[in-house]
C-alpha cells in the first residue's frame, strides 16, 4: 500500500489517495493472459510478472503521482472512471477495469484504443496543460495547483505521449496500474 505520511492523513479523512502509477505496454501474449484471468489474485500475479519483465526499454512509463492531475486534465477535472471524452479519457483511468478490489487499479486499453489515444495526445503541449489546470475545478484534489504542482505534472506529459506513440507503433495494448 502506498501510504507516505501525507497519504495517511488523506486516508483518515476519507479522501482518495494519489499513489504512484505505471502504464505498461503489453505484447499479445501478455494481453491475452491478463484478459483471461479469472480473479483478482490471478490478475495481480500476472501484473507482478509483467512488472518484472517490463521495467526496461520503452514498454512502460512511470507517472509517479502525476497521474491524478494528468487524468483530471485529460478529462473533465474529476478523478473518476469513464469521465471525459474519448480517447483522452482512456489514457490513464479509462478502458476495461481488470481488478475488482479497492486496493489496486488495473485498467486495460486494446491496441486500437492505444493508437487513438496516441493520436489525441500528440497535439497536447505545455500551454494546453497549463490552460486545463487553470480552467478546470479539481474536486478533492490533493495537489496544490500552484506553479510547482503544474511544473511537476508537465514533466510527465512528454513521457506519456512518447509511451503511447511507441506502444501504438508496436501494435501493443496497455494497462494502467496503481495501488491505492
Amino acid at each position: 500500500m502506498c501510504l507516505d505520511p501525507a497519504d495517511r492523513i488523506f486516508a483518515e479523512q476519507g479522501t482518495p489517495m494519489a499513489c504512484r502509477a505505471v502504464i505498461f505496454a503489453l505484447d499479445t501474449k501478455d494481453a491475452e493472459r491478463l484478459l483471461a484471468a479469472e480473479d483478482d489474485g490471478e490478475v495481480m500475479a500476472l501484473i507482478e510478472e509483467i512488472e518484472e519483465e517490463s521495467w526496461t526499454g520503452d514498454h512502460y512509463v512511470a507517472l509517479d503521482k502525476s497521474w491524478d492531475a494528468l487524468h483530471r486534465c485529460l478529462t473533465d477535472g474529476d478523478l473518476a472512471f469513464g469521465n471525459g471524452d474519448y480517447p483522452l479519457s482512456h489514457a490513464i483511468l479509462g478502458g476495461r477495469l481488470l481488478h475488482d478490489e479497492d486496493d489496486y487499479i488495473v485498467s486495460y486499453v486494446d491496441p486500437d484504443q492505444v493508437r487513438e489515444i496516441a493520436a489525441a495526445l500528440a497535439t497536447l503541449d505545455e500551454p494546453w496543460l497549463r490552460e486545463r489546470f487553470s480552467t478546470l475545478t479539481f474536486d478533492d484534489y490533493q495537489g496544490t495547483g500552484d506553479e510547482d504542482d503544474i511544473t511537476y505534472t508537465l514533466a510527465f506529459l512528454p513521457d506519456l505521449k512518447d509511451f503511447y506513440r511507441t506502444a501504438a507503433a508496436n501494435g501493443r495494448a496497455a494497462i494502467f496500474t496503481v495501488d491505492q
Side-chain angles (χ1 to χ4, degrees):
M1 205 154 202
C2 166
L3 287 177
D4 63 28
D7 290 334
R8 281 192 195 94
I9 293 166
F10 289 113
E12 290 167 6
Q13 295 173 352
T15 305
M17 293 175 292
C19 295
R20 290 172 177 88
V22 178
I23 306 176
F24 295 97
L26 304 177
D27 62 24
T28 303
K29 180 188 84 168
D30 284 339
E32 288 173 354
R33 291 174 56 214
L34 198 54
L35 292 173
E38 295 184 16
D39 58 35
D40 286 349
E42 194 173 338
V43 167
M44 292 311 299
L46 290 167
I47 294 296
E48 287 178 25
E49 285 181 37
I50 291 165
E51 287 176 348
E52 288 176 16
E53 297 168 1
S54 299
W55 282 108
T56 59
D58 54 6
H59 298 301
Y60 79 99
V61 62
L63 297 177
D64 196 51
K65 293 187 177 191
S66 74
W67 71 272
D68 181 323
L70 283 169
H71 175 74
R72 291 169 187 270
C73 287
L74 294 172
T75 61
D76 59 8
D78 290 332
L79 185 60
F81 298 103
N83 60 318
D85 295 327
Y86 180 82
L88 291 177
S89 63
H90 281 50
I92 295 180
L93 277 181
R96 179 176 167 188
L97 293 175
L98 300 180
H99 191 269
D100 293 323
E101 296 295 320
D102 292 338
D103 62 334
Y104 209 83
I105 297 171
V106 179
S107 60
Y108 170 88
V109 289
D110 66 40
D112 290 334
Q113 292 169 318
V114 166
R115 280 189 289 282
E116 292 171 354
I117 293 166
L121 287 171
T123 63
L124 307 185
D125 57 11
E126 180 177 341
W128 177 88
L129 191 67
R130 286 185 176 282
E131 176 70 17
R132 295 295 288 174
F133 245 101
S134 69
T135 59
L136 291 173
T137 302
F138 293 1
D139 293 333
D140 298 322
Y141 180 57
Q142 294 178 21
T144 60
D146 63 8
E147 183 58 31
D148 288 341
D149 191 18
I150 294 168
T151 300
Y152 170 78
T153 303
L154 275 166
F156 291 90
L157 183 60
D159 290 342
L160 182 66
K161 292 169 59 170
D162 289 345
F163 167 81
Y164 272 106
R165 185 181 64 247
T166 302
N170 293 321
R172 290 180 172 248
I175 52 167
F176 167 83
T177 64
V178 66
D179 62 342
Q180 294 283 55

